[in-house]
């Protein structure tokens, strides 16, 4: 016997249309995957309705094996505006590099856990700045700790022995 489907009533259609095309009320998370791990990362700052917002949140830290592909997935609005990945030391103080991401890209998976010299580092997903917020942009930091490396030192100097 074939299943019979009823057409949605007018109230259901109105509810569906009400959600179409609207922007989220607040900043969306970035999804970071490394091997079998997947973590939602909240922003530490964001431009919301023309005003810069800062959030009291601690970045997650993911333990990874060497050569693990790191996949970053950003919300559509961030991809449309443009974004990059900044690489920082283990203290999130010294910027070690930056990776440009093509405009419109929602998923970027061209970084591995071995691309960064120190075994402990942060990647910060940085949304291109918006004029409305005087240069403030969205930022989503996530830390990585690569197995087999000593913590400490810099990109050019070994850790103290």
């Amino acid at each position: 016997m074939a299943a019979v489907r009823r057409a949605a009533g007018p109230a259901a259609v109105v509810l569906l249309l009400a959600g179409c095309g609207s922007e989220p009320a607040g900043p969306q998370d970035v999804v970071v995957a490394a091997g079998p791990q997947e973590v939602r990362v909240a922003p530490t700052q964001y431009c919301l309705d023309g005003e810069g917002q800062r959030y009291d949140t601690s970045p997650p830290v993911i333990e990874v094996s060497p050569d693990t592909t790191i996949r970053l997935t950003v919300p559509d609005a961030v991809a449309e505006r443009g974004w990059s990945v900044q690489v920082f030391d283990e203290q999130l103080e010294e910027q070690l590099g930056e990776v440009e991401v093509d405009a419109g890209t929602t998923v970027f998976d061209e970084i591995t856990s071995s691309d960064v010299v120190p075994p402990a580092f942060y990647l910060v997903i940085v949304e291109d700045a918006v004029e409305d917020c005087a240069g403030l942009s969205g930022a989503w930091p996530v830390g990585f700790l690569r197995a087999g490396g000593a913590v400490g030192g810099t990109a050019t100097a070994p850790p103290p022995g």
Side-chain angles (χ1 to χ4, degrees):
M1 178 180 222
V4 178
R5 294 186 182 181
R6 289 184 31 185
V13 173
V14 169
L15 287 174
L16 287 173
L17 291 176
C20 292
S22 63
E23 295 260 339
Q28 293 180 288
D29 292 346
V30 165
V31 177
V32 177
Q37 301 175 80
E38 187 172 285
V39 176
R40 298 188 78 76
V41 180
T44 54
Q45 64 183 40
Y46 194 76
C47 180
L48 185 62
D49 297 328
E51 291 189 31
Q53 304 290 321
R54 296 197 187 271
Y55 304 97
D56 187 21
T57 181
S58 296
V61 176
I62 303 171
E63 292 186 38
V64 292
S65 298
D67 298 315
T68 300
T69 298
I70 298 169
R71 187 178 71 241
L72 309 170
T73 305
V74 301
D76 290 337
V78 174
E80 289 170 14
R81 192 168 292 117
W83 59 288
S84 63
V85 182
Q86 294 178 354
V87 182
F88 280 85
D89 67 357
E90 68 198 46
Q91 300 298 316
L92 202 54
E93 293 174 359
E94 180 185 350
Q95 185 173 339
L96 306 174
E98 184 168 5
V99 179
E100 295 296 325
V101 178
D102 291 336
T105 301
T106 55
V107 178
F108 186 77
D109 61 1
E110 297 179 27
I111 299 174
T112 73
S113 59
S114 294
D115 288 341
V116 182
V117 174
F121 60 93
Y122 280 88
L123 297 180
V124 181
I125 296 87
V126 180
E127 182 178 34
D128 289 353
V130 182
E131 286 183 28
D132 292 352
C133 286
L136 181 80
S137 62
W140 294 260
V142 58
F144 293 89
L145 180 58
R146 185 175 58 242
V151 178
T154 64
T156 57

